[in-house]
Amino acid sequence: MEDGGRSTQWRFAAPNPTLSAAGERSIQKALLQVHACLDERGPRPVIPLSHGDPSSAPSFRTAPEAEEALVAAVRSGEYNGYPTPATGLPARRAVAEYLSRDLPYMISHDDIFLTCGGSQAIETVMSVFGQAGVNILLPMPGYPKHEAHAVFHRMEVRHYDLLPERGWEVDLEAVEALADGNTVAILITNPNNPCGSVYTYEHLAKIADIASKLGILVIADEVYGHLVYGTTPFVPMGVFGETVPVITLGAISKRWAVPGWRLGWIATCDPKGILRKTKVVDSLRSFISIISGPATFLQGAIPHIIKNTNDEFYNIIVKLLKETADICYDAINEIKCITCPHKPEGSFFMMVKLDVSQLSDIRDDVDFCSKLAKEESVILLPGKSLGMMNWLRITFASEPPTLKQGLERVKSFCRRHQSQAN
C-alpha cells in the first residue's frame, strides 16, 4: 500500500484460522442462512421452530417471584457496583444448596463458579482443559457451542454417537474405542439438546464407570435439568461423583425461561477432591478471575429466585412442554417424509429424520429448510449444522396454537413437494 511514497506491509490481515474454524460450528450461522430465504413480503407471520428461547410466548413467562426478586435487587441500590466476594457469596451458596437437593452429598459455595449464562460456563471449562495435543469426547448429534469452544481452544474433538434406536443413548462401546491417553473428558447433555432424550440412572452409572476406567472426567451440561415429562426422571450426573469427578454446567435460562438474563454456573461435583488435587479447581478460579461474570443485581437476586419460586410454576411449565411435545410428535407422525425415532421426554427439542427420496425437488436438509422458510415462513434448524445430514431439529417450546399452525405449514409443504413416484 502506498502512503506518502512509502510502501507499508500490514501485519494484521490474516484472519485467525482457529476462530474461523470455530465459527463454522455456529447454530447462528445456519439459522442466518435459513432466515435469508424468508419472503419479507409474505402475508403470514414467521413461525420459528428453531431455537431454544420460549420467553416470547406468554405461556412461558417466567415466575412472578423471579421478576420480583430481580426488581427488588435493582431497587435496593445495593448491586450497582462491580461484583465482590460479599455479593457473590450468597449467590454461590444458594446455587450450591439448590443443586445439593438432588445429590447424595452436599456441595458448598466453594464448588460453585458463577458465569454469564450457560455459554460462558462452556467457554470456561473448555478454556481450562484446552491445549494442543489433548482430545475431548463429544456427542453426535450435539450442541455446536461445545465443539466450537473445544476447537477454539485447540482440542481435538472426537465424536461418539447417540443411538436413535436406543432412545438416543450413548454408544458406550464407541466411547471406549475412541479414548486414548490424551483424552481428558467426555461431555454429556442431559436432558438432551437436540434429541429430547433423558438418560436413566442405570445408563448414567455406566457412563460414570467407563469414564472412571478411562481416567477421564465427565462434563455434564444440565441446563435443561428438571424439564422432563416422560417416564424417566431427571438424575444429575453429580450423583455419581464418588465414582468419577463431574463438572456440571447449569443456568436459570431454561427452567425459569429467562435466557436473556444470562446467569449460569459451573459446579464441581467431586466429593473425593480429585479436581482440587489435579489443580482443575485452581484453573477454574484463575479463568473466572479474568472474565466478566453475571451482572451484580442478578447475583443479588438469585438466592430469592431459587428460594421463592413456587412449585406450581415448575409444574405448569413441565405440563405445557408435555402438551407441546405430544402435539409435535403426533403431527410429525402424519408426515410421510419425516420420522421421529424417539418421542421426546425432556428439554424443548426433537430430532427427526428427513427422507428426501420422497420429495421431488429437495436435495437435502439445508435445501428443505431454505425452501420451507421461503414458501411457508417456518424456520427449522437443518441437521447438517449438528453434524447430522438429512435430519432436522424442531423446537416445540411455543404456544400450542402457534406450534400447530407451524406444523400444519410443514405438512402442507411436504405434501406439495411430494414426489409423484411416491
Side-chain angles (χ1 to χ4, degrees):
M1 177 178 178
E2 296 296 331
D3 183 10
R6 295 182 305 163
S7 179
T8 301
Q9 182 66 44
W10 298 113
R11 301 177 183 273
F12 52 80
N16 182 337
T18 306
L19 183 58
S20 298
E24 288 298 317
R25 290 157 173 83
S26 167
I27 282 182
Q28 284 77 10
K29 180 177 181 179
L31 288 178
L32 283 173
Q33 291 174 342
V34 176
H35 273 271
C37 299
L38 287 169
D39 183 357
E40 299 293 343
R41 297 167 295 179
R44 295 183 294 182
V46 175
I47 299 180
L49 303 179
S50 54
H51 63 287
D53 181 359
S55 60
S56 61
S59 295
F60 283 90
R61 181 166 177 168
T62 194
E65 297 89 350
E67 294 176 345
E68 290 161 6
L70 193 67
V71 171
V74 172
R75 287 181 172 170
S76 72
E78 298 176 11
Y79 303 103
N80 294 332
Y82 291 119
T84 67
T87 56
L89 179 58
R92 289 160 55 216
R93 185 177 291 132
V95 172
E97 292 173 355
Y98 170 71
L99 297 177
S100 294
R101 297 174 192 172
D102 301 313
L103 299 176
Y105 53 88
M106 299 293 292
I107 58 175
S108 77
H109 62 272
D110 286 332
D111 300 311
I112 303 298
F113 302 88
L114 299 179
T115 60
C116 187
S119 293
Q120 193 180 64
I122 296 169
E123 176 191 6
T124 300
V125 171
M126 295 302 178
S127 299
V128 164
F129 294 104
Q131 55 182 303
V134 306
N135 65 73
I136 186 170
L137 309 182
L138 300 183
M140 178 69 74
Y143 181 51
K145 278 191 178 179
H146 296 147
E147 183 169 353
H149 283 291
V151 168
F152 182 68
H153 290 97
R154 300 180 296 162
M155 282 191 277
E156 177 193 352
V157 172
R158 298 184 179 181
H159 291 110
Y160 63 86
D161 288 333
L162 302 182
L163 305 172
E165 68 275 13
R166 297 186 194 171
W168 297 106
E169 284 188 342
V170 174
D171 185 345
L172 299 173
E173 293 80 9
V175 167
E176 290 202 67
L178 284 169
D180 61 18
N182 294 319
T183 306
V184 294
I186 178 173
L187 184 145
I188 66 168
T189 304
N190 183 49
N192 191 272
N193 169 16
C195 302
S197 54
V198 181
Y199 295 145
T200 64
Y201 180 98
E202 293 75 17
H203 190 60
L204 292 170
K206 291 177 182 178
I207 294 172
D209 287 340
I210 288 176
S212 178
K213 175 183 175 182
L214 295 170
I216 63 178
L217 64 91
V218 178
I219 302 169
D221 188 333
E222 296 176 352
V223 72
Y224 291 94
H226 297 283
L227 293 177
V228 296
Y229 35 83
T231 58
T232 306
F234 168 63
V235 178
M237 192 68 207
V239 165
F240 306 96
E242 292 278 1
T243 302
V244 63
V246 176
I247 294 180
T248 298
L249 314 181
I252 64 171
S253 58
K254 307 302 182 181
R255 196 179 190 194
W256 278 268
V258 286
W261 289 14
R262 313 310 301 146
L263 191 143
W265 56 77
I266 298 166
T268 54
C269 302
D270 178 35
K272 292 185 176 179
I274 296 169
L275 296 175
R276 293 186 184 278
K277 294 172 186 174
T278 54
K279 305 297 183 182
V280 170
V281 171
D282 289 342
S283 293
L284 286 168
R285 190 172 290 116
S286 294
F287 190 81
I288 290 293
S289 72
I290 64 171
I291 60 175
S292 297
T296 312
F297 61 85
L298 278 166
Q299 297 187 40
I302 191 62
H304 305 284
I305 292 173
I306 291 174
K307 179 182 178 181
N308 297 333
T309 299
N310 196 298
D311 284 345
E312 182 183 1
F313 168 75
Y314 301 134
N315 295 335
I316 289 172
I317 293 297
V318 168
K319 183 179 179 181
L320 181 58
L321 284 172
K322 185 180 187 311
E323 178 188 353
T324 54
D326 288 345
I327 290 170
C328 196
Y329 184 74
D330 292 343
I332 290 301
N333 282 337
E334 296 177 0
I335 302 175
K336 291 182 178 180
C337 63
I338 302 177
T339 55
C340 181
H342 180 72
K343 186 175 182 179
E345 297 184 89
S347 82
F348 302 160
F349 308 100
M350 67 165 63
M351 284 290 286
V352 298
K353 177 70 172 173
L354 177 66
D355 183 0
V356 293
S357 69
Q358 297 195 40
L359 301 171
S360 59
D361 55 353
I362 302 294
R363 296 188 305 275
D364 54 29
D365 55 309
V366 175
D367 193 34
F368 180 95
C369 291
S370 299
K371 290 177 177 175
L372 177 68
K374 182 177 182 179
E375 297 177 25
E376 297 288 349
S377 297
V378 174
I379 305 296
L380 296 182
L381 182 69
K384 182 180 179 181
S385 63
L386 308 173
M388 299 283 283
M389 180 67 75
N390 290 335
W391 287 76
L392 309 167
R393 189 188 76 171
I394 303 177
T395 307
F396 47 80
S398 58
E399 295 291 345
T402 303
L403 177 63
K404 290 177 182 178
Q405 184 182 11
L407 293 167
E408 189 59 42
R409 292 190 200 175
V410 175
K411 187 188 301 185
S412 297
F413 175 84
C414 292
R415 191 182 302 121
R416 189 165 60 250
H417 288 268
Q418 187 172 354
S419 171
Q420 295 303 312
N422 293 285

